[in-house]
Amino acid sequence: MAVEEASSPEIFKPRTDKREYQQIVLRNSLEVLLVSDPDTDKCAAAMSVDVGSFSDPDGLEGLAHFLEHMLFYASEKYPLEDSYSKYITQNGGSTNAFTAWEHTNYYFDVNADAFEEALDRFAQFFIKPLMSPDATMREIKAVDSEHQKNLLSDVWRNSQLQKHLSSPGHPYNKFNTGSWETLEVRPRAKGQDTRQELIKFYHGNYSANLMQLVVYAKESLEVMERLVESKFQDIPNSGRNPIKFPGQPCLPEHLQILVRTVPIKEGHRLSFAWPITPGIRYYQEGPCSYLGHLIGHEAEGSLFYVLKILGWSTSLWAGEMDWTTEFSFFKVSITLTDSGHEHMQDVVGLLFKYIKLLQESGVCEWIFNELAATCETAFHYRDKTPPIDYVVGLASNMQFYPPKDWLVASSLPSKFNPSIIHLILNELTPNNLRIFWESKNFEGQTNSVEPWYGTAYSVEQISAADIEQWIHASPNAHLHLPAENVFIPTDLSIKEAKETVIYPTLVKKSACSRLWYKPDTLFSCPKALVKMDFNCPWANHSPESDVFTEIFTMLLADYLNEYAYYAQVAGLDYSIKHTDSGFGVTIFGYNHKLKILLETVIDKIAKFRVKADRFYVIKEMVIKDYENYKFQQPYQQAMSYCSLILLDQSWPWTEQVEVLPHLEPDDLSKFVPVLLSRTFLECFVAGNVEAKEAESMINHVEEVLFQGTHPVCRPIFPSQHLTNRVIKLSKGRSYLFFANGLNPKDENSALVHYIQVHRDDFVPNVKLELFALMAKQPAFHQLRSVEQLGYITVLMKRNYFGIRGVQFVIQSTAKGPGHLDQRVEAFMEMFYSKLREMTAEEFRGNVNALIDVKLEKHKNLKEESMFYWQEIADGTFKFNRKECEIAALKQLTQKELIDFVDEYIKAGAPRRKVLSTRVYSASHASEFEPDKSIVDQTRSVQIDDIFSFRRSNPLYGSFKGGFGHMKL
């Protein structure tokens, strides 16, 4: 039996958490956390292994990451390649892994009735995996493809540059991902066999005593314990000691530096990094939580507020990052405007003025207590998350925290200790600082290149005296600590629902608005959600109006920020977003003070005025966002082209970029009254709110916006109700769109192969979903693992406003889009043959797996509410969708599915409608014209002009806009 069970400490858990937890240690010293949740539909497991990329042997960079890839292939007990992933996928689950510096985390989830076998297959990763020579070579290419995908990502480039500028003797300095160069070319040149090195690395580092397992299931703890012991007790325990990496990554020569670097994307960023004492050592005192809360604050008097008023910054983040138990960094990241870039020294000076303010103010107990109170409320009322996400976090926590704190980790500062906070604060000095300054303005002004990603940079030494000068020269600003947070909820009581309401009900309807309401009858949490879509006919009727609406929503959020930031800190989130039909307001969080925030947002809309200084800042942001479209991944470009071709009344980013420079504050001042002049509000209130409260909220909104002698809004005319129309492709035709990649430096090409099938209807819906479930993993295995077309290879469902289909998305440096399209067609033929050969038992197993997926209960209020909101926003209103589709699945026969695929999906199907959008990189540019010349004109249509194509093709009917038939 398992050992140490009797001495298992009590694990501190939220008051609202009904799950049971137990720590056990198996005979082989594997540490396990069992989570019993009788209400769960999905079971999950995660294994954290205490070895990561820091342990890569010299000259074999990326070996730990490569091993993570290889363990998915096969095992001695289950030798059929890809059988693990296939089993998981076909039973409604998902699986993945990641390699960190000091640990590697493997995880999966699956339908409950398939969990035992899934767990057995998972355990074989760590007992007797197979690493065949053929699979080894293929997966090296997959790792290299992953690296190629990241080469032009500023996040990856900046991370590696910071590591590059550190001690070569510390593993922090290493390149972690791996590539063809590090895993094949260089080892081969030295006479090394990568596969043998891989096997040696596995046996030398993967030991049961260096692993932490989390298992989440429906069964009781006793049953789970027996299950875990039977599956995992055979993991070898070599008795290896935990691997430690003492020492600091930054030597004196790596501090007091200003690094200028050239990013891929437009924009300026200033990043500060101080090596500090790891916060994990004082996680109950929460020094980094306290300092990050204050330095990253956005209300009046904060550093960000001052930088924003000066027009120098559009965002700021502060907190601890990149930490281990031996070293850590406190980082501040500031996105600069063009003006802020010109005032870099002043920005640095103001940051240190704020740090000096914290030092002079002392550690404030009331601020710590307020932070602790918000964290405590968040912990005790935190939403239940999908089991797969939960186990991943818990397995990581087990590596760093004592068992009693595995659930809470560092999220709950509880011990007020000013000296500990001062310990970290006193490390935030000019002498201990690294500054990274990103801007395309530095092109041609750098003198060094980072070797792995090719990032251009230069390093300049800066002294404490330099920074002291910048402090004195910076503007006199009224920096001060935040005020008391009035949004902290004090009423967390649960309101009794007067009746059991299964679906949203229409409780109010007027010419101005429609209100759907759904009380919380499942989760018993003191939270609510308000969704409010402003349907405005003038919002998106031209590229100019589209851009104006975007700037308007961004300005609204900008005006609200210093006030509403307090609400966000207190657990009341909000967003104001541009939508396809106007703009939307979302508020979610504790219901106690939600109405106050909603009324403030509506008041800002009613009294909106354009502030010229903020207009120009937001305009600059929007211009950069549009200009950065060309730096999107090629597969994202291909998906954008697909959407642009299919969606009526959508505008290309190139036209929006063209109109932006000419827009002025006066133009927006004239546009907003027109935008709001005709409006219809689609509203949804859900959660811990009574029906009369919900109606009161919307009545207030109507009163402010629609009433009075000069109302801001008037009801829209019946003819103005907005619709979402999608191009209806012709049966039996293939459509092709060719484009060159927008970034000539990106060597990845991409394909989106989209198959349009039907308009939303329960029976064809489940046929399409069943096909996607059955084909997803075979497509990934064949196209990615076997043929090695590219790291990004996925088959996914697609829903354009109720028009259903599936699409293959592939990004590749190895092959051009024409070849990728051919391989998709070849896969479809191969899969269709396998579908016809499928046994009745296999078919029914897949049907039951999809039924289990649809039976899965919502985890929390927000998940449930967003499911219903999607029905409202799309105009489908099929709130009983799951039940109806389950009923359709139970009636579905194997012949009906085969006939469906035969008619709509397989290569050459008579009613098949395919749109292929192909993006060619410079490395495949020579294939562009030849591919266009071989298009079969009898069955295929080449799209040269997207907008002529849209104008000349029919549209599907829209679900949205049918307001007349809805009854209370």
Side-chain angles (χ1 to χ4, degrees):
M1 287 296 292
V3 297
E4 294 189 18
E5 178 188 331
S7 61
S8 175
E10 183 175 352
I11 295 171
F12 182 56
K13 69 178 188 177
R15 288 192 291 266
T16 54
D17 190 347
K18 298 176 183 177
R19 294 167 290 200
E20 291 185 312
Y21 299 85
Q22 184 174 305
Q23 175 205 14
I24 61 172
V25 180
L26 302 187
R27 286 197 302 267
N28 58 358
S29 297
L30 174 66
E31 192 170 30
V32 185
L33 174 61
L34 306 175
V35 186
S36 174
D37 180 3
D39 295 328
T40 193
D41 307 291
K42 280 272 174 68
C43 298
M47 179 77 89
S48 180
V49 185
D50 293 352
V51 61
S53 58
F54 275 9
S55 297
D56 286 343
D58 290 338
L60 280 165
E61 291 85 357
L63 191 67
H65 178 219
F66 177 41
L67 174 60
E68 170 226 300
H69 278 234
M70 286 301 301
L71 293 189
F72 283 80
Y73 267 84
S75 64
E76 192 173 285
K77 185 173 182 179
Y78 299 99
L80 184 62
E81 189 175 291
D82 195 49
S83 61
Y84 162 77
S85 296
K86 182 179 179 182
Y87 182 84
I88 296 292
T89 303
Q90 291 187 344
N91 285 283
S94 59
T95 182
N96 213 329
F98 63 86
T99 304
W101 291 338
E102 295 185 322
H103 70 278
T104 306
N105 196 311
Y106 302 85
Y107 52 93
F108 76 92
D109 69 353
V110 74
N111 292 338
D113 59 358
F115 184 58
E116 183 171 351
E117 183 175 334
L119 199 65
D120 191 51
R121 290 173 177 273
F122 181 66
Q124 303 310 308
F125 281 32
F126 315 103
I127 297 173
K128 286 189 177 178
L130 295 181
M131 302 181 214
S132 71
D134 177 55
T136 300
M137 189 56 64
R138 281 186 277 124
E139 206 56 30
I140 290 175
K141 293 178 182 177
V143 169
D144 184 67
S145 179
E146 183 176 356
H147 174 55
Q148 295 292 329
K149 170 184 70 73
N150 299 332
L151 279 175
L152 297 179
S153 162
D154 284 325
V155 172
W156 285 90
R157 293 163 72 88
N158 294 332
S159 174
Q160 189 61 44
L161 179 60
Q162 293 186 36
K163 293 191 286 184
H164 178 65
L165 296 173
S166 67
S167 169
H170 195 283
Y172 176 77
N173 181 261
K174 290 181 177 182
F175 167 61
N176 304 141
T177 307
S179 65
W180 182 256
E181 180 75 17
T182 66
L183 295 171
E184 172 60 21
V185 176
R186 293 185 185 182
R188 185 175 291 278
K190 293 187 293 184
Q192 288 180 302
D193 183 328
T194 302
R195 177 171 173 268
Q196 293 303 318
E197 294 296 327
L198 185 76
I199 293 169
K200 184 168 75 173
F201 184 85
Y202 174 82
H203 289 299
N205 291 286
Y206 274 50
S207 177
N209 68 309
L210 300 179
M211 298 179 182
Q212 298 86 30
L213 173 68
V214 181
V215 177
Y216 190 114
K218 292 176 73 76
E219 287 73 26
S220 68
L221 293 172
E222 293 76 16
V223 172
M224 290 177 68
E225 181 178 340
R226 290 195 296 271
L227 177 65
V228 167
E229 186 179 19
S230 69
K231 305 299 183 188
F232 293 91
Q233 65 183 351
D234 292 333
I235 298 177
N237 177 12
S238 66
R240 172 154 188 173
N241 291 325
I243 309 164
K244 298 292 183 184
F245 300 96
Q248 294 299 308
C250 293
L251 302 176
E253 59 263 34
H254 305 119
L255 301 174
Q256 293 184 267
I257 58 172
L258 172 62
V259 183
R260 291 177 173 83
T261 176
V262 180
I264 297 297
K265 291 187 173 183
E266 299 292 338
H268 320 285
R269 184 178 299 276
L270 201 55
S271 300
F272 304 80
W274 291 268
I276 60 166
T277 304
I280 185 70
R281 299 180 186 176
Y282 306 105
Y283 68 92
Q284 292 178 319
E285 289 82 1
C288 293
S289 297
Y290 178 90
L291 294 172
H293 168 65
L294 292 176
I295 297 174
H297 216 279
E298 298 183 17
E300 185 179 342
S302 67
L303 171 63
F304 176 69
Y305 177 80
V306 168
L307 294 175
K308 175 184 159 182
I309 293 299
L310 291 166
W312 292 350
S313 175
T314 56
S315 69
L316 183 151
W317 180 91
E320 186 179 23
M321 277 187 71
D322 296 346
W323 60 269
T324 72
T325 56
E326 298 290 334
F327 71 87
S328 184
F329 293 95
F330 190 92
K331 295 189 176 185
V332 176
S333 178
I334 304 174
T335 305
L336 302 174
T337 61
D338 291 344
S339 178
H341 176 73
E342 297 301 318
H343 288 86
M344 183 278 292
Q345 294 180 1
D346 290 326
V347 173
V348 176
L350 285 168
L351 169 59
F352 275 98
K353 278 185 175 179
Y354 195 84
I355 291 172
K356 186 178 181 182
L357 167 70
L358 297 182
Q359 291 167 332
E360 292 175 347
S361 301
V363 178
C364 297
E365 187 169 6
W366 76 265
I367 293 178
F368 180 89
N369 290 340
E370 189 178 83
L371 178 63
T374 59
C375 290
E376 183 177 16
T377 303
F379 176 71
H380 286 296
Y381 293 98
R382 67 184 182 187
D383 291 335
K384 202 172 183 180
T385 56
I388 192 170
D389 298 332
Y390 197 51
V391 296
V392 168
L394 290 178
S396 297
N397 289 350
M398 289 172 72
Q399 187 182 12
F400 298 106
Y401 300 93
K404 69 180 179 65
D405 290 330
W406 281 347
L407 273 59
V408 69
S410 296
S411 68
L412 196 55
S414 55
K415 294 181 179 178
F416 180 62
N417 190 328
S419 63
I420 296 298
I421 295 173
H422 271 296
L423 171 71
I424 305 298
L425 181 59
N426 291 336
E427 292 176 318
L428 308 185
T429 67
N431 293 324
N432 192 38
L433 175 64
R434 293 148 58 90
I435 302 177
F436 292 82
W437 187 12
E438 304 167 45
S439 175
K440 284 208 162 185
N441 291 6
F442 298 139
E443 283 183 328
Q445 301 176 29
T446 57
N447 56 18
S448 300
V449 176
E450 189 279 318
W452 296 108
Y453 290 82
T455 306
Y457 73 96
S458 60
V459 179
E460 173 189 339
Q461 296 296 136
I462 50 168
S463 66
D466 293 328
I467 290 180
E468 200 60 43
Q469 283 187 326
W470 299 352
I471 295 170
H472 288 303
S474 63
N476 290 320
H478 185 45
L479 294 165
H480 60 81
L481 297 176
E484 184 178 344
N485 193 337
V486 298
F487 279 101
I488 293 177
T490 54
D491 181 2
L492 297 168
S493 60
I494 305 300
K495 297 173 182 180
E496 291 285 335
K498 292 185 171 58
E499 55 184 301
T500 301
V501 179
I502 301 175
Y503 304 120
T505 54
L506 186 61
V507 297
K508 182 181 185 301
K509 181 183 175 186
S510 71
C512 310
S513 70
R514 183 164 57 183
L515 169 62
W516 298 89
Y517 168 70
K518 168 72 171 66
D520 174 20
T521 56
L522 295 174
F523 307 106
S524 298
C525 67
K527 297 180 182 180
L529 176 134
V530 173
K531 290 285 291 185
M532 196 174 294
D533 255 11
F534 286 70
N535 291 272
C536 307
W538 290 101
N540 300 317
H541 79 287
S542 69
E544 288 96 339
S545 63
D546 198 52
V547 170
F548 270 140
T549 306
E550 176 74 9
I551 294 175
F552 164 68
T553 57
M554 293 175 72
L555 276 172
L556 265 178
D558 183 80
Y559 295 171
L560 282 160
N561 189 62
E562 51 263 25
Y563 173 78
Y565 185 78
Y566 282 109
Q568 291 180 308
V569 169
L572 192 54
D573 288 327
Y574 81 102
S575 69
I576 303 170
K577 297 290 185 185
H578 183 190
T579 67
D580 58 280
S581 58
F583 65 99
V585 173
T586 304
I587 301 178
F588 175 76
Y590 303 113
N591 58 274
H592 181 205
K593 299 181 180 180
L594 183 149
K595 189 176 179 182
I596 299 170
L597 180 59
L598 175 63
E599 290 177 356
T600 304
V601 171
I602 298 304
D603 188 61
K604 285 287 184 188
I605 294 171
K607 297 176 180 176
F608 181 84
R609 298 293 181 270
V610 178
K611 300 175 185 176
D613 59 334
R614 299 311 300 162
F615 172 88
Y616 288 119
V617 168
I618 299 299
K619 177 182 170 182
E620 180 188 314
M621 284 176 65
V622 174
I623 288 174
K624 287 173 182 172
D625 285 344
Y626 281 124
E627 288 177 341
N628 284 329
Y629 269 49
K630 58 181 174 285
F631 301 116
Q632 285 184 323
Q633 293 265 358
Y635 80 90
Q636 294 171 315
Q637 296 174 32
M639 292 176 75
S640 293
Y641 286 127
C642 189
S643 297
L644 188 63
I645 290 166
L646 292 170
L647 299 182
D648 192 41
Q649 289 295 303
S650 58
W651 314 109
W653 68 273
T654 49
E655 292 180 0
Q656 292 162 323
V657 165
E658 191 176 324
V659 304
L660 261 166
H662 311 292
L663 303 182
E664 295 295 328
D666 283 349
D667 299 322
L668 185 62
S669 294
K670 293 172 185 174
F671 172 78
V672 172
V674 176
L675 170 73
L676 297 174
S677 64
R678 296 288 173 182
T679 303
F680 183 85
L681 304 180
E682 188 79 78
C683 308
F684 180 40
V685 177
N688 195 38
V689 177
E690 294 175 348
K692 62 183 180 182
E693 291 179 273
E695 290 188 57
S696 171
M697 289 182 199
I698 306 310
N699 287 337
H700 174 80
V701 173
E702 287 193 13
E703 187 179 313
V704 172
L705 296 178
F706 289 88
Q707 296 176 18
T709 53
H710 300 289
V712 176
C713 306
R714 288 184 171 85
I716 61 177
F717 293 111
S719 61
Q720 290 181 300
H721 281 293
L722 297 168
T723 60
N724 295 319
R725 307 296 297 274
V726 178
I727 297 295
K728 189 175 187 178
L729 302 177
S730 297
K731 300 168 187 173
R733 303 302 295 267
S734 294
Y735 300 82
L736 295 102
F737 178 77
F738 298 80
N740 287 305
L742 298 173
N743 181 4
K745 294 180 180 178
D746 197 327
E747 296 184 1
N748 289 281
S749 292
L751 166 76
V752 169
H753 182 102
Y754 166 75
I755 304 172
Q756 189 181 75
V757 183
H758 67 279
R759 194 167 181 260
D760 183 51
D761 189 23
F762 296 136
V763 174
N765 284 359
V766 298
K767 293 176 183 177
L768 188 66
E769 287 186 54
L770 189 58
F771 164 79
L773 174 74
M774 294 163 65
K776 180 179 179 180
Q777 187 57 34
F780 179 85
H781 177 65
Q782 179 63 33
L783 301 175
R784 194 267 207 186
S785 301
V786 176
E787 298 187 28
Q788 287 295 309
L789 296 182
Y791 179 74
I792 295 175
T793 301
V794 63
L795 167 62
M796 60 196 295
K797 296 172 291 182
R798 193 66 198 246
N799 181 3
Y800 284 109
F801 302 122
I803 308 307
R804 303 299 183 103
V806 291
Q807 65 184 18
F808 292 82
V809 180
I810 306 176
Q811 181 168 291
S812 179
T813 55
K815 300 293 181 180
H819 180 85
L820 300 179
D821 226 347
Q822 292 171 11
R823 298 317 302 157
V824 169
E825 294 286 11
F827 167 77
M828 293 293 283
E829 289 185 21
M830 180 183 72
F831 180 77
Y832 180 66
S833 298
K834 291 185 176 179
L835 183 65
R836 292 186 67 88
E837 296 165 4
M838 181 178 291
T839 66
E841 183 181 0
E842 288 174 320
F843 170 77
R844 190 46 55 187
N846 281 295
V847 169
N848 290 337
L850 185 54
I851 288 174
D852 285 345
V853 170
K854 291 186 175 296
L855 285 171
E856 191 175 339
K857 296 184 286 288
H858 297 296
K859 305 292 181 297
N860 53 62
L861 173 67
K862 190 171 187 180
E863 185 182 298
E864 179 195 63
S865 300
M866 294 310 294
F867 173 83
Y868 291 130
W869 172 252
Q870 196 62 55
E871 295 289 337
I872 295 167
D874 286 349
T876 45
F877 306 110
K878 296 174 181 176
F879 300 129
N880 63 340
R881 177 178 299 277
K882 287 186 175 185
E883 293 80 0
C884 292
E885 290 183 345
I886 288 170
L889 273 168
K890 288 178 178 178
Q891 298 297 316
L892 184 65
T893 67
Q894 187 170 354
K895 182 180 183 302
E896 287 173 329
L897 177 65
I898 292 172
D899 289 347
F900 176 79
V901 174
D902 195 43
E903 190 172 2
Y904 293 98
I905 296 176
K906 77 165 189 178
R911 303 183 72 175
R912 189 172 190 247
K913 302 180 287 185
V914 176
L915 169 61
S916 290
T917 55
R918 302 178 178 183
V919 173
Y920 290 75
S921 68
S923 59
H924 299 121
S926 61
E927 302 170 23
F928 187 93
E929 291 301 332
D931 283 355
K932 290 178 75 173
S933 68
I934 61 173
V935 173
D936 180 2
Q937 302 293 339
T938 61
R939 294 182 59 85
S940 302
V941 176
Q942 185 176 311
I943 301 172
D944 296 314
D945 183 327
I946 290 175
F947 309 106
S948 294
F949 174 79
R950 284 197 336 206
R951 285 190 291 269
S952 60
N953 277 277
L955 300 168
Y956 278 101
S958 173
F959 286 102
K960 192 170 181 178
F963 294 101
H965 69 277
M966 284 294 159
K967 300 187 184 299
L968 286 169

